Amino acid sequence: MGEGVLSPPFPRVGGVLHGGDVPLTEAARTFGTPLYVYDIRWIEARTNAFARAFQGVDLLLAYSVKANGNLTLLRRLEALGCGADVTSEGELFLARRAGIPAERIVFAGVGKTERELELALREGIHAIHVESAGELERLAAVARRLGVDAPFSIRVNPDVYARTPHEYTRTGTAATKFGVPYDETAALYLRARALGGLRPVGIDVHIGSQIVEPEPYVQALERLLELVAALGAEGVVLEEIDLGGGYGVAYDDEPGMDVDALAREVVPRVRGAGLRLLLEPGRWLVGEAGVLLTEVQYVKRSGPKTFVICDGGMSELIRPSHYGGFHRIEPVVARPEARVERVDVVGPICETGDFLARDRELPLPEPGDLLAVRTVGAYGFAMASNYNGRLRPAEVVVEDGRATLVRARETVDDLIRGMS
Ligand code: LLP
């Protein structure tokens, strides 16, 4: 199923935005603001749609925990058969705590410490994605010390350019820190055989994030399949190919990735090569399923500008200021009588870069009004911080007319924990 078949989450009913049949006004009243709200049924529907698109091939969906590591979401994804793509000791812990079986977990990242490699091997995870010759040596040494064979795939830097909205989310070109250069990959698999303590399971790539066209994936896949064939001829037999994540969603009117169209390109190629497929979607599964509710505190005129000052800003959602990310903003309660004005929607943080939107046309709100910032289920709470002594917000799941707290709002005790 492609984009647009599921009706969008958080519809407006009787002038009020709802999630999972709960008026968002009620969620804000019960749990306070700023507040993250997730429509968990939407996440389930998206996950099923993603898996269905690729059903023609032996598939593991390894959800990318970095997008949103809330345990309740992870448990639901596990129940749908998902594994996890983790990138630190903390994410490995979260995935295991949510009940995701170790054999469905892969571990990516350019800077894995010896401790992290040891933890991953002791857990018995599916594969470690090795990103450099140095990491391969380190992994072999840890594996020999533990007396195990470390399952690994090499993350290849295919030097494929993918159009992403910001250079920070492009990872597949030679100019980035990620992966092993394409031309050095085969030699590294052969080196692994010589080192011992290592068991190759597949080959891996991740070319970037918020990509909406299939073409760069197809290019990367074809480059990897050439390597798989060449390695097979050398006696290095790889059983799976991991295409990473990065499948884009609709933030505005532009369409997100059509996963059916992507699958039509990918599935026959992978099946033809007799390989198993791993995919690591994060944003595509959870992005549109989240809104951030924030309450307007002041409306301030300053020269030609109008600032709508909210109780949420870059400490809750850093995407607008860090990547110039666009997020649609709507009043939770429709104000048809309000005049539409061009405003900056900003937070309370002491930075000029603290904004949720700039030069945005919005029905001019009043202090006390609620705004909903859309498409924040991925890289929203996950990138929230305590900067300016801010307490990270609560997270709520809405489902079947009920809103359930799934992470308590931080308190000042959280702010001083471990501090002397
Ligand atoms: N696999 C690997 C190895 C990754 O590095 C990532 C994301 C994913 C999978 C999942 O990508 P997704 O399907 O969610 O696009 N903070 C940025 C995005 C950073 C993505 C980092 N890696 C943002 O807010 O746009």
Side-chain angles (χ1 to χ4, degrees):
M1 146 168 183
E3 276 294 315
V5 179
L6 275 175
S7 58
F10 305 107
R12 197 174 285 284
V13 183
V16 179
L17 290 184
H18 281 58
D21 293 334
V22 177
L24 294 184
T25 41
E26 187 186 308
R29 202 176 316 116
T30 309
F31 301 103
T33 55
L35 183 71
Y36 274 96
V37 181
Y38 306 122
D39 180 339
I40 207 155
R41 295 268 192 219
W42 169 268
I43 294 174
E44 290 178 338
R46 288 284 273 194
T47 306
N48 288 331
F50 201 102
R52 218 165 27 241
F54 290 88
Q55 65 192 353
V57 70
D58 184 5
L59 174 74
L60 174 64
L61 272 193
Y63 167 68
S64 195
V65 174
K66 64 178 78 67
N68 189 324
N70 188 286
L71 276 179
T72 298
L73 271 46
L74 295 179
R75 280 193 213 99
R76 290 292 183 99
L77 290 165
E78 190 283 325
L80 296 177
C82 287
D85 152 49
V86 303
T87 203
S88 65
E89 174 182 349
E91 286 187 355
L92 177 59
F93 169 80
L94 285 171
R96 293 293 290 128
R97 176 54 75 94
I100 297 177
E103 60 271 18
R104 286 195 230 148
I105 297 177
V106 293
F107 195 151
V110 292
K112 298 179 207 77
T113 62
E114 191 167 327
R115 175 188 160 87
E116 285 174 321
L117 292 174
E118 179 167 343
L119 279 169
L121 291 180
R122 286 191 187 282
E123 282 290 331
I125 71 167
H126 178 70
I128 292 164
H129 290 164
V130 170
E131 300 221 19
S132 62
E135 184 186 344
L136 190 78
E137 307 265 347
R138 179 179 270 183
L139 180 62
V142 175
R144 280 197 304 269
R145 178 158 55 74
L146 297 182
V148 298
D149 275 340
F152 78 100
S153 296
I154 291 179
R155 173 166 174 183
V156 183
N157 185 323
D159 202 14
V160 164
Y161 176 85
R163 200 168 58 87
T164 63
H166 198 281
E167 59 159 320
Y168 290 177
T169 54
R170 217 168 290 144
T171 53
T173 64
T176 70
K177 68 179 176 180
F178 296 100
V180 172
Y182 184 82
D183 295 338
E184 297 169 24
T185 304
L188 205 55
Y189 276 102
L190 298 176
R191 168 105 187 97
R193 192 160 59 184
L195 278 172
L198 298 166
R199 177 168 59 83
V201 297
I203 193 159
D204 169 54
V205 72
H206 171 77
I207 54 176
S209 196
Q210 186 57 16
I211 300 166
V212 295
E213 301 142 332
E215 288 73 22
Y217 288 99
V218 176
Q219 277 175 35
L221 173 59
E222 292 197 326
R223 299 211 79 192
L224 260 58
L225 288 174
E226 278 171 30
L227 267 180
V228 170
L231 282 162
E234 300 268 2
V236 178
V237 178
L238 302 178
E239 289 170 358
E240 68 186 31
I241 194 153
D242 186 328
L243 269 187
Y247 317 103
V249 303
Y251 281 99
D252 198 5
D253 291 329
E254 92 288 14
M257 172 66 85
D258 178 343
V259 293
D260 285 326
L262 179 66
R264 277 196 294 278
E265 299 290 339
V266 168
V267 167
R269 288 176 169 87
V270 174
R271 204 176 40 205
L275 296 170
R276 172 177 151 95
L277 178 65
L278 268 76
L279 298 171
E280 305 171 358
R283 192 187 322 251
W284 205 90
L285 305 189
V286 300
E288 287 164 82
V291 288
L292 173 65
L293 303 183
T294 181
E295 189 189 78
V296 175
Q297 304 300 304
Y298 305 98
V299 176
K300 179 171 169 176
R301 311 267 187 191
S302 180
K305 302 281 291 187
T306 300
F307 295 101
V308 173
I309 302 173
C310 301
D311 64 359
M314 69 186 289
S315 45
E316 287 69 40
L317 179 68
I318 203 170
R319 300 196 74 263
S321 69
H322 192 54
Y323 309 105
F326 176 93
H327 290 265
R328 199 174 281 172
I329 300 181
E330 296 173 36
V332 171
V333 180
R335 297 175 111 270
E337 75 290 357
R339 199 156 35 95
V340 173
E341 284 196 33
R342 188 176 291 270
V343 301
D344 282 14
V345 182
V346 303
I349 305 292
C350 300
E351 298 255 1
T352 302
D354 173 30
F355 55 84
L356 297 172
R358 281 196 293 191
D359 294 323
R360 185 72 60 85
E361 301 231 312
L362 213 61
L364 191 68
E366 288 176 5
D369 282 4
L370 284 173
L371 298 179
V373 186
R374 281 194 182 260
T375 322
V376 298
Y379 309 109
F381 187 96
M383 297 179 81
S385 81
N386 293 120
Y387 183 44
N388 273 211
R390 303 275 297 164
L391 306 173
R392 289 187 304 165
E395 295 180 290
V396 159
V397 157
V398 287
E399 181 177 29
D400 301 336
R402 271 198 326 274
T404 309
L405 187 67
V406 295
R407 184 197 305 256
R409 185 176 303 284
E410 286 185 340
T411 68
V412 287
D413 289 329
D414 295 310
L415 220 47
I416 58 169
R417 185 146 33 103
M419 228 193 259
S420 50

